Amino acid sequence: MVDLDNQILDILCSEETPPDWLVPDLFVQGALVCLAGEPGTGKSYVSYTLGLSIASGLPFFYSLLPAREPRRVLYFDEENSNADRSKYLRRSWKGLLKQHRI
């Protein structure tokens, strides 16, 4: 039988480990993130742009996410069509390139 009391005490008495932030103070690396809101509020555009920023290593919204080593991104879109996905990807990529004058 597992001794949960000792495991809980170990957790409570241990030093807190700082999280590996994917986006500082917003998203933790490895966490599942779900954005919700009214239709047309920019959830998809922000999500695609953030994903491309992380995957390319480019900064996101200037200082929100600084430039760094590219990371893998897995993005699920259960709402938009393939045509919409392509449109969002093109707009997001063009916006990142324009923002950084690339």
Side-chain angles (χ1 to χ4, degrees), residues 3-84:
D3 186 1
L4 293 179
D5 290 335
N6 285 340
Q7 287 181 2
I8 291 171
L9 286 174
D10 288 343
I11 292 169
L12 295 175
C13 296
S14 67
E15 291 292 320
E16 188 171 343
T17 304
D20 180 15
W21 291 107
L22 185 60
V23 178
D25 299 319
L26 192 60
F27 300 134
V28 176
Q29 173 72 26
L32 176 64
V33 175
C34 178
L35 296 181
E38 294 294 322
T41 56
K43 301 177 300 293
S44 294
Y45 184 67
V46 167
S47 298
Y48 276 103
T49 306
L50 177 60
L52 285 171
S53 173
I54 292 167
S56 67
L58 290 171
F60 178 70
F61 285 163
Y62 298 98
S63 62
L64 181 63
L65 177 63
R68 59 184 183 182
E69 284 295 312
R71 294 187 179 194
R72 287 187 183 159
V73 174
L74 176 61
Y75 182 81
F76 288 96
D77 185 341
E78 292 288 327
E79 186 175 74
N80 294 304
S81 66
N82 288 340
D84 286 341

